[in-house]
Amino acid sequence: MTVETFTPNKTTTLETPIKILEADSPVQKTKGTRIGFVSLGCPKNLVDSERILTQLRTEGYDVVPTYNDSDLVIVNTCGFIDSAVQESLDTIGEALAENGKVIVTGCLGIKEDEIREVHPNVLAITGPHAYEEVVNQVHQHLPQPEHNPYLNLVPDIGIKLTPRHYAYLKISEGCNHRCTFCIIPSMRGDLVSRPIGSILDEAQRLKNAGVKELLVISQDTSAYGVDVKNKTDFWNGMPVKTDMKSLCEKLGEMGIWVRLHYVYPYPSVDKIMPLMAEGKILPYLDIPFQHASPRILKLMKRPAAAERTMDRIRAWREVCPDIVIRSTFIVGFPGETEEDFQMLLDFLDEAQLDRVGCFKYSDVDGAKANDLPDPVSEDLKQLRYNRFMEKQSEISTAKLQAKIGLEYQVIIDEVTPEGAVGRCYADAPEIDGNVHLTDEFDVEPGDIIWAQIIHSNEYDLWAVKVDDDEDVELTEEL
């Protein structure tokens, strides 16, 4: 999860949604029905924000990008770690100071007493994915607009806070795991999978609206359908099993990029490797391994065994040599010894992961890990974090250098005064690197082009466009 520092002129902490809100703000703003929106936290929270905004726009409310233009501000909060809690509280305070009328929702909303202790003047507080409650609170504090049934306020795909060429597709809510450092189940509940027909309908609407890339998200993508015992549902009159493999198969038939996030390394993941090898879905997995020491993973109560992880990675690469794996890790977990940490560094050397993020452990209010013995000092956490990042930087730099001279499909995200900026299959938006095409202006966002890599650093790539007449002999592989 990425949580960035909030600044007053933004209505969200993610750069892309800021631009979308500003670009899509209605020209005519009716006083008394204008909503400002701040969306904090991860893409799963962003999807919740999109659903709330879709309903409000359907009812005729205007969505505006600044505090001053708003008649009321909604803050969709994050409460996963202490820094995110503090940012949420600071953002609520900012909204109150700048506007005065604030409704709070999201993960931190389950801690109403904590919010009201700091900000007693908020109008209302609701928990995560409480879409109807948020809209009802808006009704109590702002008049409902006069709705013109002949005015098309909302597209078929709803309100999106991402560019038109990519979108997040949430397939479930909640999580059945009880990791000791995490309080998500207490905020969002146990796993509840969406009907597969509903997901595929949404995916088809997004494709029809011009989306070129779907980013599949949930708390535990590998567990999709477990709560309903993988029952058979129907889509377009055909039976479809409610599980990750069937979902990926159907999404892979749509002819657009499909990227999987928040995947646990269960045996079920093995079944989608052929789909990646065949180019049906992107050969990209976002897997939060968190650590490599069996002892620490046991203390974390992680659902996957470390000793089988490396074997599984090798097996995946045998089936799909081009697979890219991104992951996140925690250093300084209570009880972590130098031996445990060295196991983590050794794992990085062996696994050669493509994209890696790292967090220094911090207590989270309500997490069971807070009570574990032998906490690691802040100085030692920082030292281990630095060693971890230095190790991964070497790996990342070498892996990107190996791409120089190769050709990849690149999806264009934006065109700047310096040229086009995009991503290849190895890069998810806003969390991985970019492919820069300096002085390339003859493209538009959403275009997918072939490009040859000419330069790299530890995070990004530079490339030149491959002309169509040079591209004829290229295969369809990603």
Side-chain angles (χ1 to χ4, degrees), residues 305-363:
E307 59 270 18
R308 292 197 293 271
T309 296
M310 200 59 238
D311 290 339
R312 185 149 283 131
I313 291 174
R314 291 192 194 97
W316 294 341
R317 286 173 173 160
E318 286 181 6
V319 177
C320 183
D322 292 330
I323 189 171
V324 162
I325 301 174
R326 103 169 307 277
S327 189
T328 53
F329 295 87
I330 297 172
V331 297
F333 192 79
E336 182 188 62
T337 64
E338 180 61 27
E339 181 181 3
D340 294 319
F341 180 67
Q342 188 59 51
M343 285 185 186
L344 180 52
L345 295 183
D346 292 344
F347 176 80
L348 291 181
D349 271 330
E350 187 175 11
Q352 293 288 300
L353 304 178
D354 300 85
R355 300 291 191 183
V356 169
C358 183
F359 296 91
K360 292 176 288 184
Y361 172 81
S362 63
D363 286 345

Side-chain angles (χ1 to χ4, degrees), residues 407 450 466-476:
E407 294 174 346
W450 280 95
V466 177
D467 293 334
D468 291 340
D469 57 347
E470 299 175 15
D471 194 26
V472 175
E473 299 300 324
L474 290 174
T475 66
E476 293 296 321

Side-chain angles (χ1 to χ4, degrees), residues 447-465:
D447 287 349
I448 298 179
I449 64 170
W450 280 95
Q452 183 179 52
I453 309 303
I454 60 172
H455 179 67
S456 69
N457 62 17
E458 62 182 307
Y459 299 115
D460 289 353
L461 297 169
W462 280 257
V464 292
K465 183 180 178 182

Side-chain angles (χ1 to χ4, degrees), residues 5 20 99 124 137 158 220 230 238 242-243 249 266 316 325:
T5 302
I20 300 302
N99 183 277
Q137 289 296 334
D220 181 359
N230 304 122
M238 299 295 292
T242 307
D243 62 20
E249 287 174 341
Y266 303 146
W316 294 341
I325 301 174

Side-chain angles (χ1 to χ4, degrees), residues 193-352:
S193 299
R194 287 180 62 191
I196 194 165
S198 172
I199 297 172
L200 294 172
D201 281 341
E202 181 180 352
Q204 188 65 60
R205 288 194 300 271
L206 290 167
K207 179 193 173 181
N208 294 343
V211 168
K212 304 286 186 67
E213 178 181 10
L214 290 174
L215 299 106
V216 177
I217 59 172
S218 67
Q219 292 300 139
D220 181 359
T221 297
S222 312
Y224 174 69
V226 169
D227 55 312
V228 294
K229 299 181 180 179
N230 304 122
K231 71 176 183 178
T232 298
D233 204 338
F234 289 87
W235 183 61
N236 287 346
M238 299 295 292
V240 186
K241 195 174 181 181
T242 307
D243 62 20
M244 185 174 69
K245 180 174 180 288
S246 300
L247 177 62
C248 289
E249 287 174 341
K250 290 302 180 183
L251 292 176
E253 293 172 2
M254 294 186 179
I256 56 179
W257 285 18
V258 177
R259 189 183 300 276
L260 302 181
H261 288 274
Y262 312 111
V263 177
Y264 283 87
Y266 303 146
S268 59
V269 180
D270 303 349
K271 299 176 182 179
I272 65 172
M273 286 302 117
L275 297 176
M276 293 185 173
E278 295 165 10
K280 301 295 186 183
I281 63 175
L282 295 181
Y284 177 102
L285 282 179
D286 175 6
I287 304 178
F289 289 123
Q290 305 297 14
H291 215 281
S293 163
R295 192 178 70 85
I296 296 300
L297 288 169
K298 186 175 180 179
L299 290 173
M300 291 179 170
K301 291 192 175 179
R302 295 294 288 167
E307 59 270 18
R308 292 197 293 271
T309 296
M310 200 59 238
D311 290 339
R312 185 149 283 131
I313 291 174
R314 291 192 194 97
W316 294 341
R317 286 173 173 160
E318 286 181 6
V319 177
C320 183
D322 292 330
I323 189 171
V324 162
I325 301 174
R326 103 169 307 277
S327 189
T328 53
F329 295 87
I330 297 172
V331 297
F333 192 79
E336 182 188 62
T337 64
E338 180 61 27
E339 181 181 3
D340 294 319
F341 180 67
Q342 188 59 51
M343 285 185 186
L344 180 52
L345 295 183
D346 292 344
F347 176 80
L348 291 181
D349 271 330
E350 187 175 11
Q352 293 288 300

Side-chain angles (χ1 to χ4, degrees), residues 62-183:
D62 292 324
V63 181
V64 297
T66 64
Y67 289 134
N68 292 337
D69 291 331
S70 307
D71 297 302
L72 180 150
V73 176
I74 300 172
V75 180
N76 191 2
T77 59
C78 178
F80 181 55
I81 56 178
D82 286 350
S83 60
V85 171
Q86 188 59 53
E87 185 194 24
S88 293
L89 292 173
D90 290 347
T91 303
I92 295 168
E94 182 86 34
L96 284 169
E98 295 288 334
N99 183 277
K101 299 179 71 174
V102 178
I103 291 174
V104 177
T105 188
C107 291
L108 189 60
I110 66 169
K111 300 179 180 179
E112 181 170 354
D113 292 343
E114 182 176 334
I115 295 172
R116 290 201 179 276
E117 183 178 348
V118 181
H119 302 299
N121 295 326
V122 296
L123 298 178
I125 300 172
T126 68
H129 51 83
Y131 318 120
E132 292 184 5
E133 291 181 54
V134 175
V135 173
N136 288 338
Q137 289 296 334
V138 172
H139 293 165
Q140 291 186 31
H141 298 285
L142 290 184
Q144 287 190 250
E146 294 183 10
H147 186 247
N148 182 348
Y150 300 104
L151 183 63
N152 183 18
L153 293 171
V154 180
D156 289 341
I157 60 171
I159 301 299
K160 291 295 175 186
L161 297 176
T162 52
R164 287 175 175 82
H165 62 280
Y166 72 80
Y168 293 103
L169 183 66
K170 187 190 281 190
I171 64 173
S172 65
E173 292 283 0
C175 182
N176 288 341
H177 303 303
R178 296 296 182 265
C179 301
T180 57
F181 58 81
C182 181
I183 56 172

